[in-house]
Amino acid sequence: MPGLLLLLLSAALSWELRAQAAPSPCLAPAQWEGRWVQYDHSTGRNTRAAVSYDGLNQRLRVLQQHKKHTPCQRYFEFIYLFQSAVLFQIDQKTKECSKLALLQAWDPFDIPDNSTYEDEYTVGGPGDSMEVQEWSDRKPARQHESWVGMYTVKDCYPVQETYTQNASLTTSTRFFDLRLGISDPQVFTPPPTCTLARARPLRHDLC
């Protein structure tokens, strides 16, 4: 019996030491601009865009970037206004605007307080690298995580996030060229063509 008690105390102490050693989630910037590449694992398609992120007001502006090797593809500007539950989709060429109900909840680019610390490592090589931490929503009772985020150690900028829904739809987003702040707050204001826009389905991006 004393041996069992000693074993339990040792296990409890080991768990406590590991918990104390694990870092806490850093606080990601609330406003930034940059670019991202989103990869849809189900379709095999990459979407490149310039992005303005306003976490303070729950706004997101995504401007799809043109690819010269896909001449028939349509490109859109998306303005997500989560506090108003509205999404505007503007055709970059025709300026046609669609007003859509924004059904999903606001999900900021940050590390939730209840996230699980996975690892810390260096991205890049000697003399040209940065330290990052990897977090997830993994829990003991769950077999797989549905979110994994990689953030820089220094300033807590997002580097990559991967989401999995229903074990069938996976989207990976890589962030780069990020700059702190919003240089032009007007990017979140829909253009005049959206004034009389009617609600309609989301348009496909191919001719």
Side-chain angles (χ1 to χ4, degrees):
M1 194 64 161
L4 178 59
L5 180 59
L6 182 61
L7 182 62
L8 292 174
L9 289 175
S10 177
L13 179 60
S14 177
W15 180 88
E16 183 178 354
L17 289 175
R18 287 197 304 270
Q20 291 176 354
S24 299
C26 58
L27 183 62
Q31 293 181 321
W32 51 260
E33 294 177 323
R35 294 191 292 159
W36 73 27
V37 176
Q38 284 191 331
Y39 176 67
D40 187 328
H41 294 245
S42 62
T43 63
R45 295 180 58 192
N46 280 300
T47 302
R48 299 178 180 272
V51 181
S52 298
Y53 170 78
D54 180 10
L56 297 177
N57 300 292
Q58 299 185 0
R59 301 182 298 183
L60 184 68
R61 186 253 195 166
V62 178
L63 184 66
Q64 291 182 337
Q65 296 184 322
H66 294 251
K67 302 177 184 177
K68 295 182 179 179
H69 58 278
T70 53
C72 195
Q73 186 169 348
R74 302 182 67 179
Y75 294 90
F76 295 94
E77 174 185 4
F78 299 93
I79 301 176
Y80 297 79
L81 304 177
F82 284 88
Q83 291 184 350
S84 302
V86 174
L87 163 62
F88 292 96
Q89 177 188 261
I90 303 103
D91 188 306
Q92 292 188 32
K93 184 176 181 180
T94 66
K95 304 305 177 183
E96 179 184 8
C97 180
S98 299
K99 183 178 181 181
L100 310 165
L102 193 53
L103 302 180
Q104 67 262 41
W106 168 252
D107 186 10
F109 292 114
D110 64 4
I111 307 171
D113 292 336
N114 62 347
S115 298
T116 299
Y117 173 74
E118 297 290 353
D119 202 357
E120 181 173 325
Y121 45 85
T122 299
V123 174
D128 188 13
S129 62
M130 64 178 178
E131 298 293 324
V132 300
Q133 288 182 347
E134 187 175 290
W135 297 80
S136 78
D137 63 352
R138 179 174 55 87
K139 298 294 182 291
R142 185 187 303 163
Q143 185 176 5
H144 301 290
E145 62 271 6
S146 61
W147 168 81
V148 177
M150 183 192 304
Y151 283 74
T152 61
V153 172
K154 182 182 178 182
D155 296 312
C156 205
Y157 280 105
V159 177
Q160 181 169 326
E161 286 198 348
T162 300
Y163 279 95
T164 302
Q165 299 178 6
N166 301 323
S168 60
L169 176 61
T170 302
T171 303
S172 296
T173 304
R174 304 191 307 274
F175 304 83
F176 50 96
D177 293 342
L178 300 190
R179 304 176 304 276
L180 190 63
I182 304 296
S183 60
D184 181 13
Q186 294 302 314
V187 297
F188 300 108
T189 302
T193 54
C194 292
T195 303
L196 300 177
R198 296 182 178 179
R200 62 181 66 186
L202 192 66
R203 296 288 297 275
H204 200 271
D205 59 354
L206 294 177
C207 304

